[in-house]
Amino acid sequence: MSPKITHITEKDIEILAQKLGKNQKEKIALIHLLKQEPEKIDQILDFESIKRYILEAPSPIPISAQLYFHYLGKLALGKRGLKNQELISYITKLLMRFLKMDSFVPFSRLGSRRNFLRMSDLLLSLEKTADSMQAYQLHHFIADYSLFVCGLFKENIERCWNGSPGMEFYEGLGMRSYALAASYPEAQKNSLQGIFSFLSSAFKEVRFALNEIQEQFFHFSDISP
């Protein structure tokens, strides 16, 4: 598992260097170092001055959403002893993907004429498909979506609006779907077999970390998953 952070932008590197460098020479040296050895970025994120800058700034800061989500994931997962860089990167990408509405487009109309995603549509499509690649993609998507809604929409799920499934349903579905996704050759081909297997076994702990991120840093209007 590589410690390299792959989703940090050059602008992020420049901002971190600006915050840490005491003079222009140090700032330039830090930019060069972090571009040459991006794995050191994760060490820099542990600095108290960076923590204060990201979490306590009185106004929006110019770092990328990728770096912000990475930092929140590192913080919340780390509190639970989940400091694996591959896991942090995966959760960062999951948040980036699902907080964009177009993430739902590939599956939003499966088995339905509605323009919004329903888990029942996905499960029905999974039962009907005979295509191994589509089955893998559906297991992967269902697992990620279950973790996302359990993590960021906990209160909505717990209300069980209109007889909708509760937390145990989404947790069980997420764990099973990650385990099934890990069993496909595509998972091994894309180096996802290990992270899928881990998320299947540690689903609740990762969900708790996402709950903390949502409670402390996010706010959503009421919405039913």
Side-chain angles (χ1 to χ4, degrees):
M1 295 184 182
S2 172
K4 182 178 179 180
I5 303 175
T6 59
H7 45 263
I8 304 301
T9 68
E10 286 195 14
K11 184 178 179 181
D12 290 330
I13 290 175
E14 292 172 1
I15 291 171
L16 292 174
Q18 289 290 329
K19 289 296 172 183
L20 290 176
K22 295 179 181 179
N23 52 54
Q24 191 63 22
K25 184 177 180 179
E26 284 190 5
K27 292 173 184 178
I28 293 173
L30 276 169
I31 290 173
H32 179 75
L33 174 65
L34 296 178
K35 286 182 178 181
Q36 293 296 316
E37 301 180 48
E39 65 273 10
K40 292 190 180 297
I41 293 173
D42 212 46
Q43 299 174 23
I44 284 177
L45 293 178
D46 290 328
F47 289 8
E48 189 63 27
S49 59
I50 297 299
K51 177 181 179 180
R52 290 196 302 270
Y53 172 65
I54 294 176
L55 299 182
E56 300 174 12
S59 57
I61 55 178
I63 63 172
S64 68
Q66 296 98 306
L67 178 56
Y68 184 63
F69 291 154
H70 177 94
Y71 184 81
L72 296 184
K74 174 182 169 67
L75 190 67
L77 291 165
K79 289 180 180 178
R80 290 162 176 78
L82 304 175
K83 298 181 179 180
N84 184 288
Q85 184 61 57
E86 185 179 12
L87 174 63
I88 296 170
S89 293
Y90 190 89
I91 294 303
T92 300
K93 293 174 183 176
L94 183 147
L95 291 173
M96 288 294 298
R97 181 157 54 100
F98 280 111
L99 289 173
K100 295 179 179 179
M101 291 305 295
D102 58 1
S103 299
F104 300 99
V105 170
F107 301 105
S108 62
R109 297 176 185 271
L110 285 174
S112 173
R113 295 182 180 179
R114 293 187 294 269
N115 292 326
F116 54 89
L117 179 69
R118 299 286 290 188
M119 187 64 80
S120 58
D121 294 338
L122 296 176
L123 295 174
L124 182 61
S125 295
L126 189 56
E127 288 182 5
K128 292 181 177 179
T129 187
D131 182 80
S132 176
M133 175 59 76
Q134 186 180 40
Y136 164 73
Q137 291 174 338
L138 282 164
H139 283 305
H140 183 186
F141 186 85
I142 289 169
D144 281 351
Y145 181 62
S146 297
L147 182 58
F148 174 73
V149 296
C150 281
L152 270 63
F153 295 98
K154 172 189 171 186
E155 292 182 0
N156 301 78
I157 290 176
E158 289 176 342
R159 292 191 187 112
C160 294
W161 290 351
N162 300 320
S164 58
M167 186 63 73
E168 288 186 6
F169 169 82
Y170 282 102
E171 286 182 339
L173 181 62
M175 287 187 279
R176 288 193 301 275
S177 297
Y178 276 126
L180 288 167
S183 69
Y184 282 78
E186 289 81 5
Q188 185 173 12
K189 180 180 178 180
N190 293 291
S191 302
L192 291 170
Q193 193 172 49
I195 192 66
F196 285 168
S197 296
F198 179 81
L199 285 167
S200 176
S201 62
F203 190 94
K204 285 190 177 183
E205 284 299 308
V206 177
R207 192 264 285 182
F208 292 149
L210 290 176
N211 291 160
E212 180 179 330
I213 290 174
Q214 186 275 318
E215 290 165 3
Q216 294 188 14
F217 304 105
F218 294 171
H219 174 73
F220 299 109
S221 300
D222 283 346
I223 179 172
S224 174

